[in-house]
Amino acid sequence: MEKINRTKRCDTDAYKGARARRYAEHHRKSLRTRLTTAREQQVLYRSLADAGFPETALDLPCGTGRFWPAFARAGVKRLIAGDGSHGMLEVAETQRLNDAIPAQLLQTSAFEMALPDESVDFAACLRFYHHLSRPEDRATLLAELKRVSRRFVAVSLWVDGNIAGNRRIRKPAPEVVAGYGKRICQRREDVEAEFDAAGLAVVRHYDIWPRIAMWRLYLLEA
Ligand SMILES: C[S@@+](CC[C@H](N)C(=O)[O-])C[C@H]1O[C@@H](n2cnc3c(N)ncnc32)[C@H](O)[C@@H]1O
C-alpha cells in the first residue's frame, strides 16, 4: 500500500489542516448532512452498477474519502484516489478501507492528472464541476476524465429544474474565476451540451433529492 504520492502538486490548496478536518466533520454533523451523504453514496453505487460493476475506478477529487464505502460495496478491486489538497489527503489517509480502497493516493491537479491514459474503467469526479465558473476549465476537466478512463465517467454537480436550482439560477452568478471557486448552478441543457462537446454521451442521470435539490450525478460514456 502506497502512502500519499506527492509527485504532482496542485497550485492551490483551499483545505489546509483544520479546514480539511472541518470538511469531514461537516458531512457528519447533522441528520441532514448524513442523509445526503448516504443518498449520494447510493446513487454512486447505482451508477457503478449501471456501468457493469467496473474493477478499477478513480475518485478525483476525493476530498476526505467520503465515497469510498460506495466503491467498496460495488466491488471495485482497485481504486485510485487523488486531490489537489495535501490537507484533504492527510485526512483521507486515515479513512482508507483496505489496501485496495484506495490502492493509490495522489496529490494531483484535476486539470492535469498525474495518471497515464486509460488508467481506470470508471472515473468519478464528485462535487467539483460546479466549482468551475470558466467553461474552458470545465472542458479541460472533462478531457482529463475522458483521457484517464477506458470507458465511463461520473460527474456530480448542481443543475436547475428543481426548487433550489430554479431559485438559485435567478440570483446573480458569482464572479468568474480561474479554477476552483464559488459554486454555480447550471442549466441542465448547458451541462449536457458541454458533455456532448467533450465527446461524452449521457448514459443516465440520478437526482439526489428529486424535484427539491440541485445535486445530480451524471453517468457518461466515452
Ligand atoms: C467540495 S470538495 C469535494 C471532495 C469530494 N469529492 C467530496 O464530495 O467529498 C472539492 C475538492 O476539490 C479539491 N480541489 C480543488 N481544486 C483542485 C484542483 N485543481 N485539482 C484537484 N483537486 C482540487 C479540494 O481540495 C477539495 O478536496
Side-chain angles (χ1 to χ4, degrees), residues 19-77:
R19 190 158 178 227
R21 287 192 296 278
R22 276 203 303 276
Y23 183 84
E25 282 154 20
H26 166 77
H27 289 283
R28 290 193 287 257
K29 76 175 181 213
S30 66
L31 182 61
R32 184 180 63 81
T33 56
R34 286 197 299 276
L35 276 175
T36 297
T37 293
R39 178 79 187 130
E40 285 180 275
Q41 289 183 352
Q42 189 183 44
V43 300
L44 174 61
Y45 176 88
R46 267 198 221 153
S47 71
L48 287 156
D50 289 336
F53 293 115
E55 294 202 344
T56 56
L58 171 70
D59 178 19
L60 202 162
C62 65
T64 57
R66 283 189 317 126
F67 293 107
W68 295 348
F71 289 104
R73 205 154 57 81
V76 169
K77 293 201 169 48

Side-chain angles (χ1 to χ4, degrees), residues 37 47 71 80 89 93 99 107 110 112 191-192 196 200:
T37 293
S47 71
F71 289 104
I80 301 174
L89 290 171
E93 232 302 300
D99 285 359
Q107 185 173 9
E112 198 189 344
V191 172
E192 289 168 19
D196 188 50
L200 292 163

Side-chain angles (χ1 to χ4, degrees), residues 10-15 23 27 40 59-67 82-86 88-89 108-112 124-128 130-132 156 179-181 183 215:
C10 184
D11 40 0
T12 54
D13 188 348
Y15 294 92
Y23 183 84
H27 289 283
E40 285 180 275
D59 178 19
L60 202 162
C62 65
T64 57
R66 283 189 317 126
F67 293 107
D83 200 283
S85 160
H86 180 60
M88 283 298 217
L89 290 171
T108 187
S109 166
F111 304 118
E112 198 189 344
C125 182
L126 308 169
R127 289 191 172 223
F128 182 70
H130 63 305
H131 280 277
L132 308 179
S156 81
Y180 192 77
R183 295 179 291 183
W215 289 114

Side-chain angles (χ1 to χ4, degrees), residues 129 135 138-139 142 186 189-200:
Y129 197 84
R138 297 195 293 272
L142 292 175
Q186 288 182 271
E189 307 87 275
D190 295 345
V191 172
E192 289 168 19
E194 289 177 356
F195 296 154
D196 188 50
L200 292 163

Side-chain angles (χ1 to χ4, degrees), residues 98-116:
N98 54 49
D99 285 359
I101 312 285
Q104 234 182 311
L105 204 47
L106 294 175
Q107 185 173 9
T108 187
S109 166
F111 304 118
E112 198 189 344
M113 299 178 189
L115 288 169

Side-chain angles (χ1 to χ4, degrees), residues 158 163-172 183-185 214:
W158 278 358
I163 294 171
N166 294 347
R167 201 180 299 145
R168 167 74 65 143
I169 220 149
R170 286 199 294 270
K171 293 187 180 161
R183 295 179 291 183
I184 57 159
C185 176
M214 294 182 268

